[in-house]
Amino acid sequence: MAENVGNVAPFINDQFIVTAIFGEVRPYETHKGLDIATSGSKPLYAVDDGIVILNGGNASTGYGYYFAYKNQTSGVAYFYGHMAAPSTLAVGDSVTFGTYV
């Protein structure tokens, strides 16, 4: 999917590649997320304000290290999986747009 290349966000000057799209049909499931890959190990940033609701995993789980937060006003939750290392934030911590997670 090399044609799906762009910048991660207006405040991050780094390119990414979309490696799997939401709704993609696979032999064993329908993909329920959007997978975005970068070259090497890059920092991850919050794309909204919210409260941390998950932080865990390890290198051997299906999602690897994972992290999630939820916007308390809109109810929208954001899940980051396949991370190179665990987040240093704890469940209950606040994040704001642009915060390193």
Side-chain angles (χ1 to χ4, degrees):
M1 297 180 118
E3 68 278 2
N4 296 326
V5 176
N7 283 359
V8 175
F11 59 91
I12 304 169
N13 189 22
D14 195 9
Q15 288 194 330
F16 69 87
I17 299 171
V18 175
T19 58
I21 60 172
F22 179 83
E24 179 179 275
V25 178
R26 299 174 174 181
Y28 51 90
E29 70 175 354
T30 299
H31 194 249
K32 294 180 177 75
L34 175 67
D35 289 0
I36 300 171
T38 62
S39 60
S41 188
K42 306 286 185 188
L44 295 172
Y45 299 92
V47 296
D48 199 356
D49 299 339
I51 303 294
V52 178
I53 57 173
L54 286 172
N55 186 5
N58 60 56
S60 66
T61 66
Y63 289 114
Y65 295 108
Y66 55 82
F67 173 83
Y69 61 98
K70 182 177 180 179
N71 181 294
Q72 299 303 102
T73 303
S74 69
V76 175
Y78 302 88
F79 180 86
Y80 296 68
H82 313 297
M83 294 168 46
S87 172
T88 58
L89 296 172
V91 171
D93 285 351
S94 295
V95 295
T96 56
F97 174 80
T99 302
Y100 173 72
V101 300

